[in-house]
Every structure is written in C-alpha cells, then in structure tokens.
Amino acid sequence: MKTLTQYILAVVAVVPFLSSCEKVIDVKIDTSPGQVVIQGNITNVAGPQSVKISRSVSYTDKNEFPPVSGATVTVTDDAGHAWTFTETQPGIYTYASLKGDPGHAYTLKAVFNNTTYTAVSTMPEVIPVDSLSLKTLTFGDEKSKQVQVHFKDPAGKPNYYRYVMKINNKLAKAVFAENDRFTDGNDITSLLFYNGEDGDVKLRNGDVVEIEMQSVDKNVFDYWFTLSQQAQNGPGGGVTPGNPPSNINNQALGYFSAHTKEVKTITVK
Amino acid sequence: MIKHLFPLFSLICCLLASPVLAQQRFTVSGTVRDAASGETLIGATVKLTGTATSAMSTNAYGFYSLSGIAGEYVLSVTYTGYELYTKKITLNASQKADLALSPAGTTLQEIRISAADRKDQNVRTPQMGIDKLNMAELDNLPVLFGEKDVLKTIQLLPGVKSGGEGTTGFFVRGGAADQNLILLDEATVYNSSHLLGFFSTFNADAIKDVSLYKGGMPAQYGGRLSSVLDVKMQDGNNQQFGAEGGIGLIASRVKAEGPIVKNRGSFMVSARRTYIDLLLKASPDSSISGNTLNFYDLNAKLNYRFNDKNTLYASGYFGQDNIGIRDLFANDWGNTTATVRLNHVFNSRLFSNTSFIFNKYRYAIELLDEDNNARITSLIRDYNIKEDLQFYSNHHTVRFGLQATHHRISPSEITASEGSIFNPLKIESRYGMEVAGYASDEWALSEKLSLLYGVRVSAFSLLGPGTIRTFDQQGNETAANNYKSGDVVKSYVYPEPRFSASYILNERSSLKASYNRNTQNIHVLTNASTSSPTDQYVMSSNNIKPGIADQAAIGYFRNAKDNSFEFSVETYYKWLKNQIDYRDGAELIGNGDVESELLYGVGRAYGLEFYAKKTAGKLTGWISYTLSKTERKFDDINRGQYFPSRQDRTHDVSLVGMYNTGKRWTFSANYIYNTGNAVTFPAGKYDLDGLTTYYYTERNANRMPYTSRLDVSATLKAKETKKLRSSWSFGLYNALNRKNPYAIQFRDKENDPTRTEAVQISLFGIIPSVTWNFKF
C-alpha cells in the first residue's frame, strides 16, 4: 500500500509546493529527559545479531546519542533456546553467530537500572526477491529515476514488508513499509519512491543502490508504517506526529524485529 | 418522534389561539422582489406601521405575511442596497401585496439613505450567531488569484477560522471542518472545495444569498454540530435577458439569465472553468502538456410561477476537478446536486415548501503505471424529501416540518487490469436513513422581549444489507453479524432543543441568549487539517455514536449613528461528545474495517467574539476579533489529558475596508492576523541506524508562527454604454510579501548533520491578479 499512498502524496504535495519557499526558523521547543531507545534485530541470515540500547537527547542537543552500557541482554525463542548477548561496543550488544528460523517467536529481554524491557517478535516466512529494476517518473519537466523491487507475494495471508535503501553504501533517509492488503498473492512490483533528502539529492547515473527487503511481522510493520506516514507533509503539516507504536514495554522507544531479509543491488543508468 | 413533538405542537396551538380571538385581524401578505430583475429578496425587513407596529423578515422565497386590526397602515420594506419602499394600505380585509424594490443607485447621494429605513434587524431579532454576506461586497474584496469566493470571505467573520493559507476549508467556533453543514439550494455539498482547497465550489456569480449560522441554530436545520452555511442560487432575471461574466488570470466565468415567460418564470445558467492546464497544453514539452490541472462547474436554475399560490423551482449544480500526471496518476472528483421545490401558499398565513433533493460526491483515483495500475472509486449519495411549513400569526412565526434522507456511502471500489499488482476489491456500501421533525415558534412576547424556541427530533438508522462488525476499545473484532436489505442495524433518536431570546434594552441595543443542541451522523475521516478530495465518509453505526454538541451563547448588540454602525459581542461555550480521532498509523483508504481504527473522545470550545461593522458612507467594512480555545480529550491520546485541536488559535483578527470614491474607483483592503495552529513539535530525538527519529511528548502543545497578511484591490468601472457595463479588478494578495507558515519540517542541518533544524514552508508570496468583468 505504501506505493499507492506515495503516488498520491507525491502528486498532492507537488501541486501546492510549485510556488512554495523554505526558510529555517527558530522554534520554541520543550526539552525532555533521555528516553530509553532499544533497537533489536534478529534475522534469518547467519552471522552476528545485535541489539543497540541508547538514550534520546533533547531536540536542541547535538545528534550524539548516549549509549546505555552494562545491560543484561538475552534473546530466547519458543523452542527453548536462549542466547546471551555481550556488549561489544558501548551500548551495542551482539551474539557472534545466530541464525533465526522463520515461523519462530523470539523474545528480547534487556535488564538495566532495575527495569526489565521485553518484546516479542515472530519471524515470518522467507519471501525471495526476484529482481530490482529502474523506472523513470516524470513530474512536469522533472524526471526522476526510481528503484522497483519485484517479488511474489504469498497468497491467502497478510504479509508485511520493510525496505532499507542504501545509495553508494550510505543509508537513504527514507522509511519504506508496505503490506499486501490490496495485492495479496500477486507478482508485486514495488516502487520505492525516493525523492532525495529534502528533495534535492536524487538518484544519479552510476549510483549503486542496495535494497534490503525484510519480511516483518505486523507489529514491526505498524512501527515502520507509522514512521513513514509522519515523514510526509501535507497541508498544515500532514499527519499529527506521535511516537510509533513500539512492541517493547515500559515506554521504551524503538522496536524489536525478528525478520527475514535479502539484499540485492542495482546500478542506476 | 410524534410523541416528542406533540407537547410542543399543543403548546404552540394554545399560544396561537388566544390572541386571535380577541379582535378581528386582517393579513397582508405577498412576495418582495427586485423591481429590475424580479429576483425575490431574502431577509428584507417588512414593517406594518399604524395603530400597532409589526415587522418581519421575508423568508427564503421572499414571502412575508403581517397582520393587524382594521385601520390605516404604512407598509414599508428595507433591504441593504435598495431604495426604501413605502405604501399606504387600508386593512379592512386580508389582502395580497407583492412589492418591488428598486436597487439604490451607486452615486453617493443615493447611498446616503435616511435614518428611518436602515436595518436594525441585527438588534431586534432573537436569532443570534448569524452572519450574512452581502454579495455586492464580494465583487470588491481582494482574494487569491482574483477569484471572488464566498468561503474565503466568511473566514473574515468572527468565530470563523480558515483551514489554512489560501484554502476554503473553515472551522466555526472550535468545531471540526466536517461539522459544517454546507447547503446549496438545500442540497448538502460534501466537498466544498476545488483544486485542493484553493477555490470553493460556489461560483459567486450564481449566488444570491449566503447565511452562516454559528450558534442559536434554527430548528429547521440539523445534522451537523458546528454551523450551517446556507447558500442560495439566484433565480434569474424574469424581466429581460442578460449575460455577464469575468475573465481572470486562471479562470473565467459566464452567466446567462432571462425570462421564460415575463413576470412568471426565469432561468439562470452560470459556468466557470480554470485554464491552468490549457497553458500547460501550450507547452512544447510533451511531458508538461500531458498533465492536467483544472476544474469546472455549472449552476443552473429555473423557476416558474403557475399562479399566486404555486411556484416551482428546479436547480442543479455540477462540478468536477481533474488533476493528473501523464502516464502516472489521475484524480478526479466532484459534487452533483439537484433540487426541485414547490412553494405553495395555502392562505395568507400559511406558506409551504416541498423539496426533493439529490446530492452526491464522488472521486476516482487512477494509477496509470502499467504494473501498478488500478482505479479506486468512492461515493457518497443522498436522497432527501423535505416538507417545511411556516405559519404567520400575530406576534408569532411558527415553523414546522419533516425531513427524510436516505444515505449511501460506498467507501472504496478498486478495479485493476489483468497483470496489475492490485487485486479487485469492493468494500461494502453502507446505507442509512435520517428522519427529522421540527417545530419552532418565533414569538414577539412584548415590545422588548422576543423568543425563538423549538425542538428538532432527529432519528438515524444504519440499515442493511451488509456484514456489520463490532470492535472493542482496542479495535479488536468482537462480533460480526449479517443483515439483509432494509434490516435496521442500529438506531439513535435524539431530541435537540433550540432556544434563543432577545431583550431590547433601548432603540439601539439588545441582549440575546441562546442554547442549542445538534447531533451529527455523517463523519469525515481525514489525515489532513483541511478537506482533501479523498476524505473518507462514515455514518453513525454500532461502533460510532452520533456526535453531540451543546452550545450556549450570550451576546450584546448595539447599533449607532442611525444604524450605520453595528457592534456586537458574543461569547459561547460548546460541549462536544462522541468526537472521532484515529489510531496512529491508521489506514483510512480502502479499509473495510476502518471503524476498528477509530478513537472516541470529547471536546470543549469557548470564545469571545467582537464585531464592528460600518454599513454606510464612502468607507464601509468591518473589524472582527475572536479570542477562543478549542480542546479535545481521548483516552488513548496525550495520556487522556485535554489537548488543543489543531485549529485552536488564540487570537484571530480580520479588518476589512472598502472605500467607494463615488466615481469610478473602489478601493478595498483586508488584513488578517492569527495565532499559529497548535502543532506537535518533537521534544527529543533518537537514532535508528542513522535515521534521526523524533520523540514526541504532548499532543499539539506547540505553536506554528503567527500568520498575518494584507491584501489590497482596486476596481475601476469602465465607461458605461447602453449595452455594456464592465469593470477591471486589480488585486495584490499578500501585498507585503510576508512568508506565512504553511508547514514546519524538522531535518538534520545540511552543513552540520550533527544538528537539527526547523524549516518553515510558505506557500504564497505576493500574488497579483487582474480580472475583467462584464455585463450585457
């Protein structure tokens, strides 16, 4: 559904902005004490799996996010396995070699400051990527090249996807999340609409674009989908922003995602 | 329903019966018209002066009925922009008097109307919270792109807030945008905007009368919580043929009118079209010429008077917007309305109007990409039958009637070609029946005290067929039941008391108070602050309870200098129940279970409105100031605490001035200032794999910067010839070229990615416009 919404929003957003202008302003903003942020990923690709724990900072501070050290981090599955993660860098807890199995539920437990944070995520089945392709979109006299992902959606049940885009090894600041509400069981072409950061850096010939397709569970989809909606701006500022619904308890920010993934690259030409 | 209304009817009957017996009374009744065009005049003040004085305003069809004991009287009519009309009559039998008023000339001599004939209706009538637009003023006011627009002009009135820069969306006394009942010749207009809100669906050329009720809602209106905007089309000149129009920078309009049978019937047809895309088409670049961006609309009306007792009106509106990007995307949407009405005068005291009304709003989105192609359509449609009766008696005007509306909402239907990634999908249509009955009495109790009281009883039923699901507070399905066609799924009945009173303090001033309850059964789900073509409509249901608003208001009204200055102060408090918001990340489009995404809460709004208007002289205009607050409370939002609605703006000021030189030039200007919208800014930020993500605490606890704007315009009347009258309008929108906030975005600084900055996006700088208007 991501694609459809983005088509519409792209057009609706373009029209009024034809004559718009931008300026940086000072805004009065409250500060907030640092909140716990947990970002945990378990994938089906064998190798190190990691959980990152940090704190948020006030809006006016530098983008330096204090790591949370000294936590006890364990992951268990519904088959009785348990893995204890060790802190390899400040705030980064890893397990050197762990391969998640689709269909299993994983539970994250992180304990520090006498608080236990837990989250459960179920790894969906593997959905292979067929290929990537390029598509040229034309908005007026402006042409832009976009990447499309091709795959076959399994029929008869809901599936949720998240994509991570890297351009020349640099993470694109865009959130892509979609489900198969309108496309169940079909050969899917997903256009990952990327108009550059702040609209001026687009895909150029020669750019190497890496797409990681993740098959995620519903809670994790809700997290990313909510985040992606807030990134868009409509009249008066678009959707009223809020914190995306986290699957971690005790008011922690972030998410715990057990997902399958596949990475493919394409060169823009 | 009948049970609820019966006590009121009997009360009214008692009230009516007693004074009639006292002495033989006679009635004078008829229709007030413009002498030159034959247009009926709505809201003209008709006065019968003699042994006793009685007065009333003409109804929506120009009808009046006054009575008195036998004797000599002077019948007089006043109406803004018209010469005073007086006629001596001897009342010794009930009689009919159709009155024709001549438009006042435009030279200053004629503008200076004598004191006696100026209107003091604003002070005298018990109705409060009402604003009427003078359509003649609209020609002179500066507007965006030079397109005169009733919805933008009402935003300059106290208690009415704009939906955003350049848009026609509006909020009344803290209510939401979907809480305004917008009527065009009694048909509901669901989406009142063209071109993403920059133009309204109302072509000012075709409009005769615009009334906005913000409070003290008369009982004949219902179905929305916050306001009624009652727009009436012109009937057309029944004396002679004429054509007029205007050619502007981005749109042109043309209107034709004339008699079908002189003095008996007339027609009016008015059309408007933008031509931005015609300019695009002229582009040599094929990728530009393939895009579309336009709207057009058509208003038409016919009326025919069969005899003194029966008049038939038929009117319709059709409008459509098209936007599209070649090979990628197309979106069209529009309203259609049709109204057929029969006025019947039973006798000099009883006036009836029977209406058959059809209206629909639909949109279609087409994705044109070969892999991602799909067509999504959506529809909301009403059939409506209404019977309104007005009974005029000594000191009483009694209104009563019945209304039945059948609603159909077809939320989404998706069709796609073979090979598209999209599956066909049809979300079940929902059907509903709204039945309402009302009775009200406007009673001049004494020289000083007038009352307008009544009740409206509204009943709503959600009807089958369909599979109706029930959701709990968390949005989980708890039941699913199948209903056959016509089965009643859920019904709600609400009595809605309406009450207003005015107490005349002296010749020039009065106090008024009102209380009213309104309910609402059609709700809009939208992510944006203003109306969008893809707004989703839902009905009250087993999950969604009807919205309820209770409003209490008091006001002080005063006129000065022979009524050439009008002042008013009104204060109101509004309680809102069963308000709708939705969960974060809710998917509203194409979602059959959209009701599982909704949250229900309450709201409150209160404010103080000041209004000062100068209605005579070379310089006319008004100042309005609103101090207000509007808040909502939902269990699952903002930790269950009250938070400001997005449209909560503490201060809102409008100044409107028009200066008529008395020669060929008219100058006008308006200035607006308002506090910024309540918005949610991040309080903190955190990192998700290099993506700076924002942390939010309080909902809508922050403010956009304030908005202020000065618009100016000048209108030059060209030399009149016998055949042609024409004028040029020159305008400057945002004459000071101030960068007003449209949206605020947060992002990492470009030259210092370790920092975050707030970026304000502004839409319109200074925009000049020129329009040539003509009239044959």
Side-chain angles (χ1 to χ4, degrees):
Chain A
M1 194 48 205
K2 177 69 174 174
T3 46
L4 177 62
T5 322
Q6 279 200 328
Y7 270 63
I8 297 165
L9 284 165
V11 173
V12 170
V14 160
V15 176
F17 281 78
L18 289 174
S19 64
S20 70
C21 74
E22 288 187 356
K23 77 172 181 196
V24 175
I25 57 162
D26 284 326
V27 287
K28 214 183 114 213
I29 277 180
D30 305 329
T31 57
S32 79
Q35 302 292 309
V36 171
V37 183
I38 300 176
Q39 202 184 352
N41 291 295
I42 302 292
T43 72
N44 65 330
V45 177
Q49 310 285 351
S50 70
V51 175
K52 187 176 153 195
I53 309 179
S54 59
R55 284 189 183 276
S56 68
V57 298
S58 281
Y59 167 81
T60 42
D61 291 345
K62 267 192 141 181
N63 289 354
E64 285 165 1
F65 306 99
V68 172
S69 289
T72 310
V73 177
T74 53
V75 172
T76 53
D77 70 3
D78 51 6
H81 301 105
W83 300 272
T84 301
F85 283 51
T86 51
E87 191 169 2
T88 47
Q89 287 173 53
I92 297 187
Y93 301 83
T94 49
Y95 193 89
S97 180
L98 168 57
K99 180 179 177 296
D101 269 334
H104 286 281
Y106 292 84
T107 303
L108 168 78
K109 198 165 124 184
V111 185
F112 59 95
N113 282 353
N114 299 321
T115 309
T116 305
Y117 298 88
T118 56
V120 182
S121 175
T122 303
M123 187 177 291
E125 66 180 299
V126 176
I127 295 162
V129 181
D130 286 340
S131 61
L132 302 183
S133 67
L134 292 167
K135 168 114 189 154
T136 304
L137 294 187
T138 313
F139 287 99
D141 55 353
E142 208 176 284
K143 286 184 169 35
S144 70
K145 285 186 177 159
Q146 306 289 346
V147 175
Q148 302 186 120
V149 185
H150 304 270
F151 62 95
K152 168 90 178 160
D153 180 79
K157 58 178 173 181
N159 294 96
Y160 307 94
Y161 305 96
R162 180 203 166 201
Y163 306 93
V164 181
M165 182 187 281
K166 282 183 184 168
I167 301 162
N168 301 327
N169 260 327
K170 191 168 170 278
L171 190 80
K173 289 183 181 173
V175 178
F176 302 102
E178 69 176 332
N179 62 14
D180 63 351
R181 216 151 59 84
F182 297 113
T183 57
D184 183 47
N186 294 342
D187 287 312
I188 309 289
T189 301
S190 254
L191 187 140
L192 304 183
F193 182 79
Y194 179 73
N195 206 24
E197 277 148 46
D198 310 318
D200 48 15
V201 191
K202 296 190 180 64
L203 294 181
R204 280 172 292 223
N205 285 345
D207 282 349
V208 176
V209 181
E210 179 193 297
I211 303 293
E212 174 182 323
M213 180 166 114
Q214 302 179 351
S215 182
V216 298
D217 70 10
K218 182 174 188 308
N219 291 336
V220 175
F221 166 78
D222 286 345
Y223 183 89
W224 292 113
F225 181 73
T226 308
L227 210 54
S228 74
Q229 278 193 314
Q230 295 176 0
Q232 291 143 3
N233 279 278
V239 176
T240 303
N243 301 315
S246 174
N247 57 356
I248 308 170
N249 65 355
N250 283 327
Q251 277 92 50
L253 301 173
Y255 63 92
F256 172 61
S257 170
H259 57 258
T260 66
K261 71 169 190 180
E262 187 174 348
V263 176
K264 278 204 156 41
T265 58
I266 189 167
T267 304
V268 179
K269 53 180 188 270
Chain B
M1 167 91 50
I2 300 296
K3 191 179 66 196
H4 286 280
L5 285 177
F6 186 71
L8 190 84
F9 275 126
S10 22
L11 174 70
I12 290 169
C13 290
C14 291
L15 290 170
L16 298 180
S18 46
V20 176
L21 296 173
Q23 203 168 5
Q24 180 76 43
R25 301 186 68 90
F26 301 105
T27 308
V28 56
S29 66
T31 305
V32 179
R33 292 174 185 274
D34 176 307
S37 70
E39 284 281 340
T40 55
L41 299 179
I42 302 169
T45 306
V46 188
K47 225 177 225 175
L48 191 61
T49 318
T51 43
T53 301
S54 56
M56 67 168 291
S57 295
T58 54
N59 76 1
Y61 305 90
F63 181 81
Y64 76 95
S65 168
L66 289 167
S67 60
I69 52 168
E72 298 291 321
Y73 287 88
V74 175
L75 187 63
S76 63
V77 190
T78 54
Y79 192 66
T80 309
Y82 285 80
E83 310 256 358
L84 169 70
Y85 178 96
T86 51
K87 183 185 180 180
K88 282 194 176 141
I89 59 165
T90 308
L91 210 56
N92 50 16
S94 285
Q95 55 195 273
K96 194 172 168 298
D98 286 338
L99 315 172
L101 267 64
S102 307
T106 43
T107 64
L108 264 184
Q109 222 85 50
E110 286 159 294
I111 289 175
R112 209 174 290 130
I113 312 163
S114 75
D117 56 348
R118 215 166 267 137
K119 295 177 55 178
D120 58 354
Q121 270 299 108
N122 62 314
V123 167
R124 297 215 155 255
T125 170
Q127 180 66 52
M128 62 186 296
I130 183 175
D131 284 303
K132 276 178 169 287
L133 281 193
N134 179 346
M135 294 305 292
E137 283 174 358
L138 231 62
D139 287 336
N140 295 323
L141 289 179
V143 275
L144 181 62
F145 302 128
E147 290 296 311
K148 56 183 174 178
D149 199 312
V150 297
L151 292 191
K152 285 182 198 159
T153 307
I154 62 164
Q155 294 172 8
L156 300 168
L157 298 169
V160 185
K161 292 182 191 285
S162 142
E165 164 113 57
T167 78
T168 57
F170 62 101
F171 304 99
V172 177
R173 289 188 171 173
D178 72 329
Q179 293 173 355
N180 304 315
L181 178 64
I182 301 177
L183 298 173
L184 178 63
D185 272 358
E186 302 188 39
T188 306
V189 175
Y190 280 104
N191 188 323
S192 59
S193 63
H194 278 308
L195 215 75
L196 307 168
F198 296 117
F199 299 91
S200 83
T201 48
F202 302 112
N203 176 355
D205 274 359
I207 306 300
K208 167 151 102 175
D209 186 81
V210 178
S211 300
L212 175 72
Y213 297 87
K214 302 179 290 189
M217 221 74 78
Q220 61 265 36
Y221 298 111
R224 295 294 183 281
L225 300 187
S226 283
S227 78
V228 177
L229 182 72
D230 193 357
V231 179
K232 296 192 176 74
M233 282 192 230
Q234 288 176 351
D235 296 333
N237 193 322
N238 70 9
Q239 300 296 312
Q240 55 178 337
F241 289 96
E244 62 180 89
I247 296 170
L249 287 181
I250 62 168
S252 283
R253 13 194 191 89
V254 61
K255 181 177 97 170
E257 60 184 332
I260 303 171
V261 177
K262 199 169 174 182
N263 285 326
R264 282 217 169 267
S266 61
F267 73 94
M268 184 278 299
V269 184
S270 179
R272 178 168 65 146
R273 192 196 194 282
T274 53
Y275 31 70
I276 307 166
D277 62 331
L278 298 180
L279 302 176
L280 295 178
K281 279 212 167 58
S283 164
D285 183 338
S286 69
S287 64
I288 292 180
S289 61
N291 298 337
T292 48
L293 182 65
N294 68 54
F295 74 80
Y296 59 89
D297 51 28
L298 190 69
N299 291 75
K301 192 161 178 177
L302 286 174
N303 73 84
Y304 188 77
R305 186 151 47 109
F306 294 100
N307 48 44
D308 282 348
K309 291 197 178 296
N310 296 296
T311 308
L312 183 77
Y313 296 87
S315 55
Y317 166 84
F318 179 77
Q320 178 149 318
D321 276 68
N322 299 292
I323 62 173
I325 290 180
R326 194 181 150 100
D327 298 335
L328 195 62
F329 168 88
N331 185 192
D332 62 271
W333 69 93
N335 294 283
T336 306
T337 74
T339 310
V340 175
R341 286 176 290 188
L342 181 68
N343 282 181
H344 179 70
V345 180
F346 280 98
N347 57 49
S348 62
R349 293 177 161 201
L350 184 61
F351 181 93
S352 137
N353 176 55
T354 312
S355 308
F356 301 91
I357 305 159
F358 164 84
N359 56 267
K360 75 169 184 184
Y361 171 72
R362 51 155 288 280
Y363 73 78
I365 299 169
E366 267 183 285
L367 303 180
L368 304 171
D369 185 271
E370 53 193 313
D371 298 320
N372 287 348
N373 75 74
R375 181 180 165 82
I376 303 153
T377 54
S378 181
L379 168 85
I380 176 165
R381 185 277 294 138
D382 296 343
Y383 293 117
N384 189 342
I385 300 179
K386 241 170 80 169
E387 174 59 39
D388 298 294
L389 293 145
Q390 284 151 35
F391 183 77
Y392 303 93
S393 152
N394 187 29
H395 303 308
H396 292 273
T397 300
V398 178
R399 299 179 178 90
F400 54 103
L402 275 172
Q403 180 175 7
T405 309
H406 182 265
H407 299 286
R408 173 181 152 194
I409 296 177
S410 300
S412 298
E413 182 171 352
I414 301 178
T415 52
S417 75
E418 197 71 27
S420 165
I421 69 162
F422 293 103
N423 294 320
L425 173 78
K426 188 170 183 180
I427 292 173
E428 274 182 3
S429 294
R430 288 284 175 258
Y431 302 89
M433 189 67 151
E434 233 172 338
V435 180
Y438 70 88
S440 74
D441 176 25
E442 188 171 341
W443 181 17
L445 213 72
S446 71
E447 275 292 300
K448 290 187 177 298
L449 184 64
S450 297
L451 298 178
L452 172 57
Y453 61 97
V455 67
R456 182 181 179 91
V457 179
S458 65
F460 174 84
S461 297
L462 179 68
L463 302 175
T467 305
I468 308 286
R469 295 176 210 285
T470 308
F471 302 98
D472 65 14
Q473 230 188 327
Q474 282 69 46
N476 300 312
E477 185 179 324
T478 56
N481 295 300
N482 286 307
Y483 291 87
K484 290 196 296 290
S485 178
D487 285 356
V488 174
V489 178
K490 180 79 190 173
S491 290
Y492 296 96
V493 180
Y494 283 99
E496 304 171 15
R498 313 282 174 88
F499 174 84
S500 335
S502 65
Y503 185 79
I504 310 288
L505 298 169
N506 58 41
E507 269 295 286
R508 294 177 306 275
S509 60
S510 65
L511 280 176
K512 298 185 195 181
S514 71
Y515 161 77
N516 60 276
R517 164 169 281 202
N518 287 77
T519 63
Q520 176 162 351
N521 290 299
I522 300 285
H523 319 271
V524 175
L525 307 178
T526 177
N527 280 324
S529 61
T530 53
S531 78
S532 133
T534 57
D535 281 347
Q536 297 290 301
Y537 294 86
V538 291
M539 287 184 229
S540 295
S541 69
N542 50 322
N543 298 303
I544 303 171
K545 292 197 186 74
I548 301 174
D550 292 287
Q551 187 186 171
I554 50 170
Y556 172 73
F557 296 76
R558 187 189 166 87
N559 287 2
K561 288 236 170 136
D562 302 328
N563 295 322
S564 65
F565 286 92
E566 297 175 2
F567 299 103
S568 68
V569 186
E570 288 188 53
T571 179
Y572 64 90
Y573 196 102
K574 202 187 268 178
W575 296 262
L576 295 158
K577 274 184 235 156
N578 304 331
Q579 302 297 291
I580 298 175
D581 208 318
Y582 40 84
R583 294 172 207 287
D584 285 333
E587 297 183 78
L588 302 178
I589 294 183
N591 187 349
D593 292 334
V594 74
E595 292 183 15
S596 71
E597 307 269 26
L598 306 182
L599 302 171
Y600 308 99
V602 297
R604 59 186 182 197
Y606 44 96
L608 189 59
E609 299 167 357
F610 295 90
Y611 189 43
K613 188 171 186 182
K614 184 171 183 292
T615 55
K618 279 188 170 183
L619 179 70
T620 57
W622 68 84
I623 298 172
S624 83
Y625 169 67
T626 309
L627 175 70
S628 64
K629 188 153 193 70
T630 176
E631 297 172 301
R632 299 289 181 275
K633 189 164 88 96
F634 291 82
D635 285 345
D636 296 332
I637 300 174
N638 208 41
R639 304 182 318 279
Q641 304 288 309
Y642 268 105
F643 63 88
S645 302
R646 198 195 297 236
Q647 73 271 23
D648 177 61
R649 294 173 202 145
T650 315
H651 306 284
D652 206 323
V653 181
S654 304
L655 273 81
V656 176
M658 281 158 279
Y659 185 80
N660 188 336
T661 59
K663 297 192 176 102
R664 289 170 58 195
W665 284 98
T666 303
F667 300 96
S668 60
N670 53 49
Y671 171 79
I672 59 141
Y673 168 92
N674 59 254
T675 311
N677 280 359
V679 287
T680 310
F681 287 157
K685 55 190 172 181
Y686 55 100
D687 172 67
L688 289 179
D689 286 336
L691 186 74
T692 306
T693 308
Y694 300 104
Y695 169 60
Y696 301 96
T697 51
E698 308 279 311
R699 163 91 64 126
N700 292 350
N702 306 93
R703 288 280 160 190
M704 301 260 270
Y706 72 89
T707 291
S708 84
R709 198 184 68 235
L710 175 73
D711 308 324
V712 294
S713 74
T715 306
L716 171 68
K717 280 215 173 91
K719 278 244 158 62
E720 259 180 54
T721 67
K722 246 191 175 163
K723 286 204 167 141
L724 176 74
R725 276 193 286 160
S726 69
S727 67
W728 289 90
S729 287
F730 306 93
L732 276 183
Y733 178 85
N734 197 2
L736 302 177
N737 199 26
R738 198 187 120 79
K739 302 280 178 269
N740 283 312
Y742 179 72
I744 307 278
Q745 289 178 344
F746 294 89
R747 65 181 185 203
D748 293 344
K749 270 189 184 171
E750 264 166 65
N751 46 11
D752 179 10
T754 66
R755 293 279 180 184
T756 315
E757 65 187 9
V759 182
Q760 172 187 300
I761 294 163
S762 306
L763 219 47
F764 298 115
I766 183 165
I767 294 185
S769 66
V770 57
T771 306
W772 183 64
N773 292 306
F774 60 88
K775 187 169 186 169
F776 293 105

